[in-house]
Amino acid sequence: MQEDSYLPVKLGFADTVIIHVLINHKHKGAVAHICIALIFIVKLIYYEIKFINSFMNKTLLKKYNDLYKKNQSVWGEDINPLLNTAIWQIKEKKEFLDLGCGQGKEAIFISKLGINATAVDASGEAIKQISKKIKKNKIFNLKTINENIVDYKIKKNKFDIIFANNVLQFINKKDAIKLIKQMQVKIKPKGVIILSAFTVDDPKYDKKNTQRTFFENQEILRLFNKFKIIYYFENLILDKGHGGFRDPHLHGIAQIIAQNSNLL
């Protein structure tokens, strides 16, 4: 009987090699079995984390799909002030990417300025609503993509502007950092990233919750140390309320407008 006939989890090539070496080593025995057990434990923890992430993502997605169905303007009607200020100062602005676009008010606003826009969101309901607005308003330069921002692959050197407004708190820290790095690598030379994210000063920050991202003080600034910083703000701000949480509340926020200084 093969030793791995009843493995409870899927093993990778490296795991299989390690187990083979341990089983056939001259000192096989208790040590080998302990090592094999440790591999199983690590794998089980890995798959448990994946299951938890998947469950939380589905729960969150259902929450926002239901919320968007009930309210056509969950995040209000006003255009994000950070974007509204920055857009007039950016010279090269042919292609715009909105990551976590919600119901699409910023992407629609940008498209009406004559800029090609791509709007990405995991919510099928949000994308459905944007598509209806595109048809109603006869907008021809706005593309919608129904995909999780973690999975979306940004096309290199396509976008002059990448906008991500308070969406990173919905994903874990590892994925958030990875996404920021992808923005930085894929943005056009002289392209501009406009980003707003929650910080550890936010009242909802919970150190034990590893499924959400809250950045340390000045961390966003450090992550953009190779970019030209056009604007940076970090503080507690008052949110007057929105469709998801109508009562006024505080948020710890870090906002940045940063330009890719790499001319290659």
Side-chain angles (χ1 to χ4, degrees):
M1 183 178 70
Q2 293 182 351
E3 293 286 337
D4 58 349
S5 298
Y6 301 99
L7 298 183
V9 294
K10 183 180 178 181
L11 295 175
F13 176 74
D15 303 319
T16 305
V17 171
I18 292 170
I19 290 173
H20 177 77
V21 170
L22 288 169
I23 290 173
N24 292 282
H25 195 271
K26 63 180 180 179
H27 297 299
K28 67 181 179 180
V31 175
H33 286 95
I34 289 171
C35 291
I36 293 170
L38 287 173
I39 291 173
F40 288 162
I41 291 169
V42 170
K43 282 287 182 178
L44 285 170
I45 292 172
Y46 169 76
Y47 282 106
E48 183 179 3
I49 291 172
K50 283 194 71 175
F51 172 79
I52 292 170
N53 283 342
S54 176
F55 176 78
M56 291 188 69
N57 286 339
K58 288 177 181 178
T59 302
L60 188 65
L61 189 57
K62 184 181 184 305
K63 172 187 173 182
Y64 278 95
N65 276 331
D66 292 343
L67 189 61
Y68 290 148
K69 285 178 183 178
K70 294 176 184 176
N71 188 336
Q72 294 287 312
S73 56
V74 170
W75 310 111
E77 301 289 347
D78 295 335
I79 301 304
N80 179 272
L82 186 65
L83 174 64
N84 202 11
T85 300
I87 196 66
W88 307 108
Q89 301 175 32
I90 300 171
K91 294 180 181 179
E92 294 292 329
K93 44 189 175 185
K94 295 178 182 178
E95 296 284 344
F96 172 87
L97 174 63
D98 189 346
L99 293 172
C101 62
Q103 290 162 298
K105 59 186 172 72
E106 277 76 27
I108 291 171
F109 163 73
I110 289 294
S111 67
K112 287 182 177 180
L113 295 178
I115 303 167
N116 295 326
T118 300
V120 182
D121 203 283
S123 169
E125 179 61 29
I127 295 299
K128 180 180 175 182
Q129 291 178 13
I130 298 170
S131 298
K132 287 182 178 179
K133 293 172 186 175
I134 289 172
K135 186 176 181 180
K136 181 181 178 180
N137 294 283
K138 296 181 180 180
I139 299 171
F140 303 104
N141 60 338
L142 173 52
K143 178 182 179 182
T144 59
I145 298 176
N146 184 199
E147 190 172 358
N148 191 313
I149 59 172
V150 172
D151 301 319
Y152 177 69
K153 303 301 180 187
I154 302 171
K155 189 173 180 180
K156 188 172 178 64
N157 291 334
K158 175 178 173 63
F159 297 104
D160 302 288
I161 306 164
I162 298 178
F163 178 63
N165 181 54
N166 296 340
V167 294
L168 299 183
Q169 74 270 14
F170 295 120
I171 61 179
N172 64 58
K173 188 68 172 285
K174 181 180 177 181
D175 286 338
I177 298 293
K178 186 178 178 181
L179 183 56
I180 289 175
K181 296 297 183 184
Q182 187 186 178
M183 292 183 213
Q184 294 172 336
V185 170
K186 301 294 181 64
I187 190 82
K188 272 186 180 179
K190 293 188 177 180
V192 174
I193 296 173
I194 304 170
L195 174 71
S196 180
F198 286 8
T199 70
V200 293
D201 292 329
D202 193 282
K204 287 191 174 182
Y205 169 62
D206 179 2
K207 190 175 182 180
K208 295 179 181 178
N209 186 352
T210 59
Q211 307 308 313
R212 301 190 68 185
T213 295
F214 294 83
F215 290 92
E216 299 291 337
N217 294 327
Q218 303 289 303
E219 185 176 1
I220 291 289
L221 197 58
R222 292 193 295 272
L223 286 170
F224 282 87
N225 64 340
K226 294 183 180 179
F227 274 57
K228 178 183 177 182
I229 307 302
I230 299 172
Y231 170 84
Y232 186 76
F233 170 85
E234 184 176 320
N235 211 333
L236 275 173
I237 65 166
L238 175 65
D239 188 324
K240 295 180 180 179
H242 46 74
F245 196 89
R246 294 189 178 279
D247 295 331
H249 52 282
L250 293 174
H251 279 307
I253 290 288
Q255 299 177 331
I256 195 166
I257 302 174
Q259 185 177 40
N260 183 8
S261 55
N262 181 9
L263 301 180
L264 298 178

